[in-house]
Amino acid sequence: MTRPFILSASLAEAAFAVPQSAAPILQAAEAAGLDLLMMGRSGARPFDAQVLLAWAAPITTRLGLVATVPASNAHPFHVARALSAIDFLSAGRTGWSVIPEGSPDGMAEDMVGAARALWDGWGSDTLILDKARGRYLDASKVRASNYEGPFFKVAGPLNAMRPPLGHPLLVVDGDDPIDVADADIGLIGADGAAPAATRRLAKVSLDADVAALSNRFAAGEIDGVHFTLTDALAQLPEIGTRFGSLVADRIDATGDLRARLGLPIPQTASNQPGGAVVPENA
Amino acid sequence: MMDKQIHLWAFLQGIGFFPSGWMHERARPEGVFSMDYYARVAKLAEQGMFDAIVFGDQLQSRGAGGRTPERMAMPTLDPVSLLTAMAAVTKHVGLVATVSTSYNTPEMLAERFGAMERISGGRAGWNIVTTAHPATAPNFGDNDLPPKDERYRRAKEVVAKACELWAAMDREGPMLPQGRPVLVQAGQSADGRDFAARTAEAIFCPAANIDAGIDFRSDLRARVAVVGRDPDGVRIMPGLSCVLGGSEEEARASHAAILDLADDALAIEYLSESLGCDLTPFDPQGEIPVTTILEHTILPKADIARAVTPAHEKRTPLGAFAANFMRHPRGHNVFLGTPEQMADMMISWRDAGACDGFTLQPSYMPGGLEDFVEQVVPILQQRGRLRTEYPGTTLRETLGLPAREAVAA
């Protein structure tokens, strides 16, 4: 596929934690053509983003849902499990961003390593679901991870299936970066430093020059843009109006988030290329 | 509030109560990986006027001795995620997630349930568990579980701290509609019952028959009173599975057919997990390898010896022992009969003080839940024992528990 222009935004409004606020914001994000909505950001996590992702999954259809995960108040076993569930519930629309704020050096990277090892403990084709033969899964595709990092030691296997995306999209924010060589999405920091990632998004404001961004995209300098929302309900329609043309050619694209954004799992990140397949039961 | 109302909870982990349930023609094993399934099931529970949907949980993958079973339905998805997604497509039904106090910090718990409570509009419940399976510890960097008394001591501290954190969250806003999630417990031991008596607002338990129900509920209510709480502020909800039929004979035949879906290989995998020792290398026709089991099990050896010794002494073959073990699951009440008989049974338990309601464990999913909602729920409603509309929106209101002012700090 041609390289898509990626439209992304983060929100960190405390009011998003209640359904009366969250529902219209999610609808506005979808209407604006947003590819990724990151819940929370470094220094502003007024809610448990993983929980809100689960709530958003059934009431959205194409929006990529990205959870910020604090490295210091989470455990990779729980995180890997929750993101697996959310990726199934959203049919492959999940992402995550580990926020190092306040955690010891290396803990965020350790979180990433441990969760990846747990997701890799299940093969893409583990499930069989053959009622007639009574065979639910192929046990040879399930492995203990025996992950041992500086902070987390996790035996596994995880009691959750490999996600449909294989690994949820890993987003790294250049303004509070973690040291991972193979993220999927990097948000270019204020100092211009781009995290090592398959795609890099420029952080811009709503009045950014669309033509100039389009040129930078065409020149391969950036792969899209990221907005830091302060009043999501008001700003999302404006994003749709001003920047929607950049993603208009993909508005009907189907498939999971990796397929739509042309983002295969980096070879260095996983022991297998694909996500979990659920056989249709006869 | 109608007299002797029957409360209903739906325990929906996995694909049903019976290990062979996933193979039933009306089971949908692929469904548990899709939102459509959870939306349908959640709406069904709401149609059936259930108080709440409950998911159990474990923090280890299924199996024994490092071997993952091939014939049992797994893995289970994260209950908080499943229930929160179900909240988005329902309005009334409560959502009770099982989460461990041994492998979460109070901060993690408070953040997670606080978010669930807010986004569900006050329908969150926490089934507090201390985690008893030894295979959990290596997933969290430990070799062994803490001893039981230490786990319960920690549980008390964690619950108290989480309650403080929820009070702070409630003050900061947005408010937590119930002040905090409803606290649920399922411990059976003396430690567990004491903890439940001090903490729980609803209790899930096994009770194989009406007398066991009366004994448990009387004991718990007495313990609740001893610590100065009102016994009427605690709902006791024993597990109940069922297979329904147009006649008792038909129900018995359907039950036998579900059990017959299981072969020796499934039964031995199930037994292996229950005994904490992989028995799949052994001949099903041979004797029960008691020495190996007691040498290798990671579960308490005295309990395991009690479970296997009588059959071993009778020279029961391994396969036959496994099949029989799987047919008598976990001390819960399994009702076989017509919908009218089931409603009669439920009413008689309630009137005898054996329960405040039931935690339905459908034998296979979603067919077992559909049958109950379509066939038994209308009878309970006609007899004035089950509500026809929800009294409010929060789980506390649905359970008829004291309002949030009683718990909000």
Side-chain angles (χ1 to χ4, degrees):
Chain A
M1 72 183 289
T2 54
R3 186 172 59 105
F5 190 99
I6 297 171
L7 214 49
S8 167
S10 66
L11 67 76
E13 296 160 44
F16 187 69
V18 301
Q20 297 81 354
S21 303
I25 288 174
L26 291 167
Q27 281 159 17
E30 291 222 299
L34 223 58
D35 292 304
L36 303 174
L37 182 64
M38 185 191 292
M39 301 191 190
R41 62 179 80 103
S42 182
R45 286 190 326 100
F47 39 63
D48 184 321
Q50 293 169 68
V51 172
L52 296 182
L53 244 62
W55 193 82
I59 59 168
T60 51
T61 57
R62 66 174 299 282
L63 184 63
L65 304 165
V66 182
T68 49
V69 175
S72 58
N73 189 35
H75 190 282
F77 195 88
H78 298 314
V79 173
R81 230 177 139 217
L83 291 174
S84 164
I86 296 162
D87 205 39
F88 279 104
L89 298 173
S90 66
R93 290 187 286 125
T94 310
W96 66 316
S97 184
V98 184
I99 306 292
E101 57 180 29
S103 64
D105 276 356
M107 197 174 200
E109 293 79 2
D110 204 22
M111 171 77 71
V112 172
R116 283 176 166 177
L118 289 168
W119 290 321
D120 286 349
W122 290 76
S124 304
D125 51 353
T126 304
L127 289 174
I128 298 174
L129 310 185
D130 184 339
K131 285 183 182 177
R133 294 181 182 182
R135 211 152 165 248
Y136 188 86
L137 59 77
D138 178 353
S140 72
K141 307 283 171 68
V142 188
R143 288 171 297 270
S145 306
N146 292 318
Y147 179 87
E148 289 194 33
F151 300 91
F152 300 115
K153 194 176 153 195
V154 192
L158 189 66
N159 59 339
M161 184 58 59
R162 180 175 179 82
L165 287 180
H167 295 181
L169 293 193
L170 179 63
V171 181
V172 175
D173 183 347
D175 285 321
D176 194 2
I178 67 172
D179 187 14
V180 173
D182 47 13
D184 294 291
I185 304 271
L187 308 180
I188 300 169
D191 59 359
T198 313
R199 300 269 195 265
R200 293 160 305 167
L201 312 184
K203 288 188 179 180
V204 298
S205 56
L206 265 66
D207 57 6
D209 181 340
V210 177
L213 289 170
S214 194
N215 289 338
R216 289 179 69 193
F217 173 72
E221 282 175 44
I222 58 169
D223 300 294
V225 291
H226 177 85
F227 302 96
T228 303
L229 303 177
T230 51
D231 181 357
L233 201 53
Q235 293 166 323
L236 284 164
E238 197 183 335
I239 290 172
T241 306
R242 294 210 60 228
F243 301 90
S245 61
L246 296 167
V247 297
D249 58 328
R250 292 189 296 112
I251 209 81
D252 297 321
T254 55
D256 69 35
L257 204 54
R258 288 192 179 279
R260 280 190 278 131
L261 300 182
L263 277 170
I265 305 170
Q267 281 182 16
T268 51
S270 181
N271 61 356
Q272 55 198 303
V277 176
V278 180
E280 277 303 307
N281 197 262
Chain B
M1 189 64 57
M2 65 188 102
D3 190 40
K4 297 268 187 190
Q5 173 174 246
I6 291 175
H7 289 272
L8 291 176
W9 291 25
F11 186 91
L12 299 183
Q13 190 176 24
I15 312 174
F17 181 65
F18 294 105
S20 53
W22 73 269
M23 289 182 257
H24 193 273
E25 59 180 357
R26 290 177 61 213
R28 281 191 56 206
E30 77 288 6
V32 297
F33 296 101
S34 79
M35 186 63 223
D36 287 352
Y37 168 86
Y38 294 102
R40 178 165 161 219
V41 164
K43 286 171 185 167
L44 205 53
E46 213 162 63
Q47 185 192 325
M49 293 290 145
F50 280 71
D51 293 345
I53 297 168
V54 191
F55 278 92
D57 202 31
Q58 301 284 327
L59 293 173
Q60 87 283 346
S61 194
R62 299 190 77 167
R67 184 184 176 279
T68 294
E70 297 220 320
R71 310 179 87 79
M72 295 201 288
M74 60 179 287
T76 44
L77 299 182
D78 170 53
V80 171
S81 302
L82 297 182
L83 289 162
T84 305
M86 289 163 111
V89 294
T90 52
K91 286 195 168 61
H92 296 284
V93 71
L95 307 152
V96 179
T98 298
V99 178
S100 170
T101 50
S102 297
Y103 294 106
N104 286 280
T105 63
E107 290 74 19
M108 285 156 71
L109 281 160
E111 184 172 273
R112 210 151 165 70
F113 276 105
M116 193 179 167
E117 165 72 5
R118 280 175 176 149
I119 201 70
S120 69
R123 293 188 278 146
W126 175 20
N127 180 29
I128 306 163
V129 295
T130 65
T131 301
H133 201 290
T136 304
N139 289 330
F140 294 87
D142 297 331
N143 291 324
D144 300 303
L145 286 178
K148 189 171 193 176
D149 56 344
E150 198 179 312
R151 294 203 306 271
Y152 274 101
R153 195 163 53 239
R154 179 178 157 87
K156 280 180 202 138
E157 291 168 12
V158 168
V159 172
K161 179 66 182 168
C163 287
E164 282 174 30
L165 293 167
W166 285 319
M169 285 176 82
D170 188 47
R171 283 192 299 272
E172 276 167 33
M175 74 180 280
L176 305 185
Q178 305 181 104
R180 58 158 168 75
V182 171
L183 302 179
V184 179
Q185 233 272 318
Q188 294 306 306
S189 63
D191 280 343
R193 290 187 190 200
D194 272 337
F195 180 62
R198 288 173 194 284
T199 313
E201 294 161 298
I203 295 168
F204 169 67
C205 60
N209 53 53
I210 191 165
D211 291 332
I214 293 168
D215 286 350
F216 183 86
R217 185 165 179 268
S218 307
D219 178 66
L220 240 303
R221 286 174 66 88
R223 288 175 195 253
V224 167
V226 164
V227 298
R229 297 176 64 211
D230 177 7
D232 291 334
V234 181
R235 302 276 166 267
I236 296 182
M237 308 287 296
L240 171 61
S241 189
C242 66
V243 179
L244 298 171
S247 66
E248 212 173 312
E249 296 70 39
E250 203 181 297
R252 288 188 188 283
S254 298
H255 177 242
I258 296 170
L259 296 177
D260 287 344
L261 289 171
D263 56 14
D264 272 0
L266 169 57
I268 288 173
E269 281 188 345
Y270 182 79
L271 183 69
S272 297
E273 182 180 67
S274 304
L275 300 182
C277 173
D278 182 17
L279 299 171
T280 57
F282 294 90
D283 177 8
Q285 308 307 322
E287 66 173 35
I288 303 167
V290 174
T291 315
T292 309
I293 292 169
L294 293 178
E295 192 179 325
H296 291 283
T297 184
I298 57 168
L299 300 172
K301 288 190 200 302
D303 296 349
I304 299 305
R306 254 196 312 280
V308 295
T309 306
H312 181 247
E313 283 172 356
K314 276 188 267 176
R315 298 183 169 273
T316 309
L318 175 63
F321 176 61
N324 188 53
F325 186 87
M326 198 175 56
R327 281 170 180 251
H328 296 92
R330 305 189 290 274
H332 283 288
N333 181 12
V334 181
F335 176 82
L336 311 177
T338 67
E340 290 76 15
Q341 289 172 321
M342 183 162 184
D344 287 342
M345 180 276 293
M346 295 172 77
I347 290 168
S348 69
W349 277 54
R350 180 74 180 92
D351 288 348
C355 65
D356 294 284
F358 298 89
T359 303
L360 186 74
Q361 301 171 294
S363 36
Y364 48 85
M365 282 296 289
L369 182 64
E370 288 167 356
D371 288 351
F372 181 84
V373 170
E374 285 163 17
Q375 298 171 26
V376 182
V377 161
I379 300 173
L380 293 171
Q381 289 175 325
Q382 280 157 19
R383 300 198 188 168
R385 297 307 191 101
L386 178 64
R387 65 172 77 91
T388 52
E389 55 187 43
Y390 284 95
T393 56
T394 69
L395 178 55
R396 299 193 73 78
E397 289 169 325
T398 302
L399 289 170
L401 294 174
R404 76 185 292 275
E405 285 68 30
V407 299

